[in-house]
Amino acid sequence: MSPSDFALLAPHLVAVDMPAKKPLGEPDVKIATNWFFETAIASMVAMSPEGHQSESGFVGRCGFVDIATLLGSNISSIECYIQVAGTGFSIPASALQKAVAASSTLNQLLLRYVQAFIVQVAHTALSNAAHGVEERLARWLLMCFDRVDGDEVALTHEFLSLMLNVRRSGVTMALASLSGAGLITTRRGFVALRDLAGLRDLASDSYGAPEEAYEKLIGATLSRPSQFVRQ
């Protein structure tokens, strides 16, 4: 983002803590606030009338919520809440809309992010249909570690079960498999990265295309350096 475009947003940005499970948007509720992320990670979760839930999108420091604001809507269409606690910034939706109306370059940049997000959502659907639990877990962990600075992230079996759309017992087995292969280590409520290259090998083609799309559209690298290995 150029300094001049950032200057349009800066007076309206408020630094906020984002605790786990903090709601950022609900279906059919008016969008009053948009959110940019610093260290927090949020999930966009689809829910059926019968109560079935599945994560459809994943937002961290590479993006913002809610993209509906840029698409001419003031109503959220999907549930969104914080999955990994951290920090970020709030901005009134009206202020964001005024800023993008005042700057074609800011509008174009944020709309390119919308396109990158749509690519991610499409590949999440593809991965859920085409890949096994371990591959999907590897992909999801890679996406998490792309959006945090450290090599450990706070994750519960409850969240992982929702994100992967599997039972908690399936999450336990998949985590044990990745841990046994030396790719990660786990402790209560946390997962630590040990072998990035190995995790990418396991994820195979379930990971990579959305990250490449983000880099092409935004002009910034999202993925971690490939040589990362922690002993």
Side-chain angles (χ1 to χ4, degrees):
M1 186 179 298
S2 69
S4 59
D5 283 341
F6 181 71
L8 294 173
L9 302 177
H12 309 286
L13 294 171
V14 177
V16 293
D17 289 325
M18 295 180 164
K21 298 187 178 180
K22 175 183 174 66
L24 303 182
E26 298 180 39
D28 303 320
V29 174
K30 186 175 181 179
I31 302 168
T33 304
N34 288 116
W35 310 90
F36 289 89
F37 300 86
E38 192 172 46
T39 60
I41 297 175
S43 286
M44 311 293 289
V45 177
M47 180 182 296
S48 74
E50 293 77 23
H52 298 295
Q53 299 181 70
S54 181
E55 182 186 64
S56 57
F58 188 99
V59 185
R61 61 187 176 191
C62 62
F64 71 97
V65 171
D66 188 316
I67 64 173
T69 300
L70 291 180
L71 302 177
S73 174
N74 64 355
I75 300 293
S76 182
S77 58
I78 195 167
E79 185 176 7
C80 178
Y81 54 83
I82 295 297
Q83 171 196 125
V84 177
T87 58
F89 297 89
S90 66
I91 183 171
S94 58
L96 180 61
Q97 289 173 326
K98 288 179 181 177
V100 298
S103 171
S104 61
T105 56
L106 177 61
N107 185 47
Q108 289 169 5
L109 175 65
L110 296 182
L111 285 177
R112 286 198 298 270
Y113 168 72
V114 172
Q115 183 180 350
F117 183 75
I118 291 171
V119 173
Q120 183 208 116
V121 171
H123 279 265
T124 295
L126 174 61
S127 182
N128 287 341
H131 299 109
V133 175
E134 291 183 11
E135 290 168 305
R136 283 160 38 212
L137 175 59
R139 171 185 185 261
W140 195 84
L141 289 175
L142 286 167
M143 292 171 66
C144 259
F145 286 116
D146 282 342
R147 291 162 176 82
V148 298
D149 290 328
D151 56 15
E152 187 173 68
V153 63
L155 297 169
T156 66
H157 281 55
E158 175 188 1
F159 266 128
L160 286 169
S161 177
L162 174 61
M163 300 311 109
L164 300 174
N165 197 24
V166 296
R167 296 180 184 273
R168 292 182 63 172
S169 59
V171 171
T172 300
M173 293 176 63
L175 285 171
S177 178
L178 269 61
S179 181
L183 306 180
I184 61 172
T185 58
T186 62
R187 62 184 179 91
R188 185 174 180 83
F190 290 87
V191 176
L193 177 62
R194 288 296 177 265
D195 184 348
L196 180 60
L199 205 59
R200 286 179 175 168
D201 285 343
L202 176 59
S204 187
D205 66 347
S206 71
Y207 173 85
E211 290 69 30
E212 291 179 7
Y214 180 88
E215 292 174 14
K216 290 177 180 178
L217 289 163
I218 306 299
T221 300
L222 177 60
S223 302
R224 284 191 172 213
S226 59
Q227 69 270 22
F228 179 94
V229 177
R230 181 168 176 86
Q231 301 300 327

